[in-house]
Amino acid sequence: MTEISSETRFLHATEMGLGAWQWGDRVVWQYGHGYSAEEVRQAFQASVAEGVRFVDTAEVYGNGRSERLLGQFVKETDQPVLVATKFFPLPWRFGKGAFVRALKASLARLNMESIDLYQIHWPSPLISMDTMMEGLAECIKNGLTRTVGVSNFGPSRMVAAYSTLARHDVPLASNQVHYSLLNRAVEKDGTLARCNELGIRLIAYSPLEKGLLTGKYSVDSPPPGSRGRMFPNLLPRLGPLLKLMTEIGQDHGGKSNSQVALNWTICKGALPIPGAKNAAQALENAGGLGWRLTDEEMARLDEASDAVVKS
Ligand SMILES: NC(=O)c1ccc[n+]([C@@H]2O[C@H](COP(=O)([O-])OP(=O)(O)OC[C@H]3O[C@@H](n4cnc5c(N)ncnc54)[C@H](OP(=O)(O)O)[C@@H]3O)[C@@H](O)[C@H]2O)c1
């Protein structure tokens, strides 16, 4: 494995984060129905109190509302909080200057001088790898972010990003990708292995599979809104995996399914960033930290997850 660079070491020392897509989003998460700014403030405060001090947002979450809320919450706490946001490659954004301009706009919403991690949200066929990586390197050179990363990059694109950034003497800090007990593509396509080899932190998004792994949804009680239509194949097959997660959680003093799902991603070597709409969810998720599933339990969970995804 490549030695982890000193600039990105803080990410490897971070075991769990908090996702902030829910904060202001009405398309998938129905912000304003059942939860609002006060509930997400409490989710932030509960996470920070439990030692979760890394928050992931993006300029597109709630059209900037997520960044604004996070900026307010960070100002209200006396604890240090690590902040990550993302650049969205909109079709009219071309040259490397677009990255510095977009990050400055994010910083204005966050009401901050700089952040800890700036990520490219999705790869784009319209912007070359050289331009993307030059744009990210410029953000570091301008003192706007401590480190840079990518998101939704497959293994070959990620390695190309790593090598291109290296020409600017900048380490690729992270790749944020979908990873949960119900989506293990990154294990199978080599992304996780390449991350480990190159010292890139794999940040696991949707680690609770948008709520499915908590055990509260079923065919008879699907998730609300657009999420209700996202899992036609998974919902009917979840039963045996959820049952095993509950059994294993009980052997660890009553850990919930959410806590087992999050601990599983940590044991795989990833940094999960579960989204939370309120303090109760944030508190429960923080309980995914501070203990370890055994190798034998991991093997049983892998087998049960394979059975759901392959059946
Ligand atoms: N880079 C990307 O392209 C990308 C894509 C997706 C997400 N992300 C990031 O990853 C973060 C997490 O992913 P995600 O938000 O898609 O999904 P997730 O973390 O798998 O699920 C979050 C949802 O599950 C439910 N939940 C969370 N904790 C719970 C608990 N303890 N008990 C019961 N229900 C609970 C809540 O929704 P309900 O209460 O409504 O069920 C919550 O909104 C996002 O916030 C975002 O920062 C990035």
Side-chain angles (χ1 to χ4, degrees), residues 22 56 151-152 206 208 210 216-217 227 275 277 281:
Q22 288 65 13
D56 176 75
S151 177
N152 296 301
S206 304
L208 301 173
K210 295 193 171 63
K216 67 182 178 182
Y217 296 121
R227 263 187 303 162
K277 292 176 161 180
Q281 292 184 351

Side-chain angles (χ1 to χ4, degrees), residues 7-26:
E7 300 95 310
T8 68
R9 205 163 287 150
F10 74 93
L11 267 182
H12 295 265
T14 301
E15 278 200 298
M16 196 193 288
L18 173 65
W21 179 14
Q22 288 65 13
W23 303 3
D25 176 86
R26 293 193 166 94

Side-chain angles (χ1 to χ4, degrees), residues 17-23 28-30 33 35 55-58 61 66 84 86 88 119-122 150-152 175-180 203-217 223-224 227 256-259 262 272-286:
L18 173 65
W21 179 14
Q22 288 65 13
W23 303 3
V28 173
W29 297 108
Q30 301 166 306
H33 293 271
Y35 77 111
V55 187
D56 176 75
T57 183
Y61 292 168
S66 175
K86 309 186 195 82
F88 202 88
Q119 308 153 99
I120 296 183
H121 208 142
W122 284 90
V150 293
S151 177
N152 296 301
N175 188 5
Q176 184 179 137
V177 287
H178 192 169
Y179 189 27
S180 79
I203 301 179
Y205 76 64
S206 304
L208 301 173
E209 204 57 37
K210 295 193 171 63
L212 256 57
L213 288 165
T214 67
K216 67 182 178 182
Y217 296 121
R227 263 187 303 162
S256 69
N257 282 13
S258 310
Q259 292 166 342
L262 295 171
I273 47 166
K277 292 176 161 180
N278 53 48
Q281 292 184 351
L283 268 180
E284 181 177 339
N285 295 343

Side-chain angles (χ1 to χ4, degrees), residues 12-304:
H12 295 265
T14 301
E15 278 200 298
M16 196 193 288
L18 173 65
W21 179 14
Q22 288 65 13
W23 303 3
D25 176 86
R26 293 193 166 94
V27 181
V28 173
W29 297 108
Q30 301 166 306
Y31 179 77
H33 293 271
Y35 77 111
S36 60
E38 190 44 37
E39 280 74 26
V40 300
R41 172 183 277 109
Q42 289 169 13
F44 172 86
Q45 289 171 343
S47 296
V48 170
E50 293 298 307
V52 175
R53 307 270 167 85
F54 171 71
V55 187
D56 176 75
T57 183
E59 59 178 343
V60 292
Y61 292 168
N63 284 326
R65 191 187 294 260
S66 175
E67 288 183 329
R68 281 194 202 92
L69 287 168
L70 176 57
Q72 285 168 28
F73 303 160
V74 170
K75 286 277 175 299
E76 290 165 6
T77 177
D78 53 8
Q79 298 299 320
V81 176
L82 300 165
V83 170
T85 192
K86 309 186 195 82
F87 169 94
F88 202 88
L90 297 161
W92 54 90
R93 282 177 165 169
F94 288 114
K96 63 176 182 173
F99 291 78
V100 167
R101 280 195 297 278
L103 180 48
K104 283 185 173 166
S106 283
L107 288 168
R109 285 186 290 273
L110 285 160
N111 193 12
M112 290 174 186
E113 303 277 307
S114 70
I115 51 162
D116 298 285
L117 176 66
Y118 196 43
Q119 308 153 99
I120 296 183
H121 208 142
W122 284 90
S124 164
L126 302 176
I127 314 179
S128 73
M129 185 63 76
D130 280 343
T131 302
M132 279 193 282
M133 297 306 130
E134 222 180 313
L136 287 183
E138 281 292 310
C139 292
I140 293 191
K141 281 181 199 133
N142 282 275
L144 305 177
T145 183
R146 180 145 62 122
T147 63
V148 293
V150 293
S151 177
N152 296 301
F153 276 39
S156 47
R157 212 190 285 263
M158 178 182 80
V159 172
Y162 173 91
S163 311
T164 311
L165 271 180
R167 294 207 295 269
H168 299 274
D169 279 329
V170 170
L172 178 64
S174 58
N175 188 5
Q176 184 179 137
V177 287
H178 192 169
Y179 189 27
S180 79
L181 266 162
L182 292 172
N183 187 326
R184 291 168 55 206
V186 295
E187 280 178 33
K188 311 194 176 179
D189 70 8
T191 303
L192 181 59
R194 292 287 91 71
C195 280
N196 290 335
E197 276 165 32
L198 299 173
I200 301 166
R201 190 70 159 131
L202 189 145
I203 301 179
Y205 76 64
S206 304
L208 301 173
E209 204 57 37
K210 295 193 171 63
L212 256 57
L213 288 165
T214 67
K216 67 182 178 182
Y217 296 121
S218 64
V219 174
D220 296 329
S221 174
S226 58
R227 263 187 303 162
R229 296 184 294 279
M230 285 179 192
F231 309 104
N233 298 322
L234 283 179
L235 270 177
R237 298 184 192 144
L238 281 176
L241 173 63
L242 293 175
K243 187 164 171 282
L244 176 64
M245 291 167 75
T246 305
E247 277 167 29
I248 289 176
Q250 275 159 4
D251 292 342
H252 285 272
K255 296 292 178 195
S256 69
N257 282 13
S258 310
Q259 292 166 342
V260 170
L262 295 171
N263 200 271
W264 177 90
T265 59
I266 293 171
C267 290
K268 289 282 184 180
L271 189 178
I273 47 166
K277 292 176 161 180
N278 53 48
Q281 292 184 351
L283 268 180
E284 181 177 339
N285 295 343
L289 284 170
W291 58 285
R292 283 314 253 205
L293 290 159
T294 66
D295 291 347
E296 189 255 334
E297 289 164 342
M298 288 294 287
R300 285 165 66 207
L301 287 166
D302 282 359
E303 201 181 319

